[in-house]
Amino acid sequence: MVDYNLGMINPNALHLSFFHLSRHDPTSGFEYDGRRIAGHTVPELGHTAADAAPAPASIDEMFFDRGPASLYMRLMIGSHLAQYLRHQLQQHQGYTSSVGISTSKLISKLIGNVNKPKGQTTLLPPYSSLETDENNVTKFLDSHDIGQLPGIGFRSAQRIRNYLLGRPAAFGAALVHSGIKERMTVRDVRLSSNMGIEPLERLLGGSGAPKGIGAKIWGLVNGVDNSEVSKARDVPQQISIEDSYIKLDTMTAVKTELLVLSQSLLSRVREDLSCVDNSDEVVVDDASGEVEDSIRLPTRQWFACPRTLRLSTRPRQQLNPDRTRSRPFNRISRSCDMPSSLLDLSKSIEELSQSLVQETLIPLFHKLHPEKSGWNLTLMNLCVTNMSSTAASCRDSAGQDISKMFRRQKHILKQWDVNDDNGPNFSSKGVRASGKHNEDALEAGVDTTTGHEVGPDALYTSQKLIEESEDEEIIWQSDDDIPDLDNRCGICGLPVPYFAVTAHDQFHNSLKG
């Protein structure tokens, strides 16, 4: 879409540019000012047309130049598309959003955080330079802590810090969300002589680590991210709710927090995995098959259901001999089948939450922590996963609701019912009529097959054929009249089909031998 609109720009009238949302409909789109980038920029630019940015000087530069000018035009077009989508989202759905515009997912995520919660930011070129290692991508990334890069988790960042420091990095004194006292920036990692693809592979690789993790992390440190933007899923892989605590060490407090988490989880599950079905519901009388009413019933239906429920906790570590406490990282989990009763849309969230806590979550918690006391939790997490598509009349469901089909089948199939008393009632056009209707049509001089008028000779012939067909006796052939095609064996006397006579004789010969 960006490439198409880049080719549609008129460099002599950039302020009258039009963004085409469709290649087939030239009227679908919006106007924009191609002399400036929409929203904020890094580095920051002024807001006048004179200092908006280095726009291309010619059509040749716009299409064939591979430097900053061509990249600028693509980023400029992308910024106006992002602004249009943000405004449409807020106008029609009421949601505000922040957007980052760049050439990779890594930079876009980070640059989008600059002007949260209701702004958009574009990282301007140059993105690379042959004369020096300094460019806007490197300048922007170097100020971030290594743990802030998307794709580098807390554990990986901590290993990198410890490796470069030669000792464990110190944490803050807070019990919850304690920060790192010793920051390790992207610049520190990138310029370190001890860092590179091979050292990162030895440090972060091993059992369970993705293949080539050293090259991936080193690429992120240098601003290289080739991962593609994938299409959003209609059904999420999992839905989870968690909360952290300063001290959670009594069963009463655990039950209270589990109830809060379960209510939030079930609300999310119902919101994300069910939809409203506004199709007409036909009410049919079971005895007569007649339609009593046709009403619109806005009911909710599941288009996907979770099959697995998981409870995770994170206990706080015991005190060290020097009275310090190590920060906990490991979680312990237990899973079970998702109770089918939780998918009952007729019950309230509060009622289902009480049942979930008492019948499922408390037993799971006792399996995680069989001791009656002594545990001190810093985090609890509830998660549903292993989604399975179901039949529904909304979204991209796996099929349609079969119960509704059975309720409507008498009404739908009634037109094909056969009435043995009156016989079929067909039209006089295109099919041959029968009985009294046929005789009336002949007397009126109408051909019952075509519906056209016919002469006296044709009427006489048709009437004669009808009389002969009524006097003609129909003889049905019964199964007893079918000749016996079987042949009986002369030795054992059993009937043997013709195709099996040879095999049957060979059987008797083998017994004699």
Side-chain angles (χ1 to χ4, degrees), residues 276-301:
V276 177
D277 177 22
N278 290 317
S279 60
D280 292 337
E281 177 73 13
V282 177
V283 181
V284 181
D285 183 77
D286 293 335
S288 62
E290 297 294 333
V291 177
E292 293 182 349
D293 197 2
S294 179
I295 57 177
R296 184 173 293 274
L297 300 175
T299 58
R300 297 196 72 86
Q301 286 185 329

Side-chain angles (χ1 to χ4, degrees), residues 93-389:
Q93 302 295 334
Y95 297 123
T96 60
S97 59
S98 60
V99 179
I101 299 97
S102 186
T103 57
S104 68
K105 291 169 62 175
L106 170 69
I107 307 301
S108 298
K109 288 180 180 180
L110 291 175
I111 202 71
N113 294 331
V114 175
N115 289 284
K116 278 190 172 184
K118 295 175 59 177
Q120 67 178 59
T121 311
T122 304
L123 182 64
L124 296 178
Y127 279 13
S128 62
S129 177
L130 299 178
E131 293 81 10
T132 175
D133 291 337
E134 295 293 331
N135 55 68
N136 284 345
V137 174
T138 303
K139 291 179 181 178
F140 175 69
L141 286 179
D142 278 354
S143 61
H144 289 78
D145 185 83
I146 187 63
Q148 292 179 314
L149 295 187
I152 300 181
F154 182 84
R155 287 188 181 183
S156 299
Q158 189 64 5
R159 289 183 181 180
I160 295 174
R161 292 190 192 96
N162 297 343
Y163 178 77
L164 293 180
L165 291 174
R167 55 176 174 80
F171 290 94
L175 291 176
V176 181
H177 301 305
S178 58
I180 303 296
K181 284 185 176 181
E182 298 171 289
R183 296 181 74 250
M184 184 69 62
T185 64
V186 173
R187 177 183 175 85
D188 297 332
V189 177
R190 183 172 57 85
L191 298 181
S192 174
S193 59
N194 296 326
M195 271 292 140
I197 296 179
E198 293 183 0
L200 286 171
E201 188 70 36
R202 291 194 301 267
L203 183 64
L204 304 177
S207 178
K211 185 178 181 180
I213 187 172
K216 176 184 177 182
I217 299 301
W218 187 244
L220 296 179
V221 170
N222 288 273
V224 178
D225 180 18
N226 297 322
S227 59
E228 297 182 357
V229 178
S230 57
K231 184 179 179 180
R233 296 173 176 267
D234 292 324
V235 178
Q237 290 183 323
Q238 66 177 27
I239 300 175
S240 65
I241 299 290
E242 69 177 33
D243 201 357
S244 55
Y245 313 96
I246 296 177
K247 188 176 183 180
L248 191 64
D249 57 355
T250 64
M251 200 62 205
T252 302
V254 168
K255 290 181 180 180
T256 302
E257 296 303 324
L258 284 177
L259 183 61
V260 174
L261 292 176
S262 62
Q263 290 180 355
S264 299
L265 179 67
L266 293 179
S267 299
R268 280 274 311 276
V269 169
R270 185 171 290 189
E271 180 67 26
D272 295 349
L273 301 183
S274 67
C275 53
V276 177
D277 177 22
N278 290 317
S279 60
D280 292 337
E281 177 73 13
V282 177
V283 181
V284 181
D285 183 77
D286 293 335
S288 62
E290 297 294 333
V291 177
E292 293 182 349
D293 197 2
S294 179
I295 57 177
R296 184 173 293 274
L297 300 175
T299 58
R300 297 196 72 86
Q301 286 185 329
W302 295 105
F303 61 86
C305 294
R307 301 303 181 192
T308 304
L309 174 67
R310 184 174 67 237
L311 171 64
S312 303
T313 62
R314 188 179 64 193
R316 180 171 282 112
Q317 301 294 325
Q318 299 295 328
L319 288 174
N320 298 323
D322 57 355
R323 306 300 297 173
T324 61
R325 193 190 304 269
S326 301
R327 181 170 180 174
F329 301 114
N330 296 328
R331 300 185 183 189
I332 54 177
S333 304
R334 281 280 187 170
S335 301
C336 67
D337 292 337
M338 182 75 174
S340 59
S341 58
L342 300 181
L343 304 179
D344 189 351
L345 293 172
S346 63
K347 295 183 178 180
S348 64
I349 296 295
E350 292 75 14
E351 182 180 358
L352 294 176
S353 300
Q354 292 284 353
S355 174
L356 176 62
V357 172
Q358 295 296 331
E359 300 176 7
T360 306
L361 295 180
I362 295 299
L364 274 183
F365 183 85
H366 287 315
K367 292 180 180 180
L368 281 173
H369 304 283
E371 61 276 4
K372 294 184 178 180
S373 61
W375 31 263
N376 188 3
L377 305 181
T378 62
L379 178 140
M380 284 200 305
N381 174 284
L382 287 182
C383 173
V384 291
T385 183
N386 191 15
M387 305 298 182
S388 176
S389 299

Side-chain angles (χ1 to χ4, degrees), residues 408-437:
R408 296 167 56 95
Q409 68 174 353
K410 288 187 178 180
H411 169 64
I412 299 297
L413 300 178
K414 183 181 178 182
Q415 56 182 317
W416 290 288
D417 287 347
V418 177
N419 192 329
D420 294 336
D421 297 333
N422 300 325
N425 185 18
F426 296 122
S427 170
S428 61
K429 291 186 178 182
V431 294
R432 182 174 177 178
S434 62
K436 187 66 168 60
H437 175 77

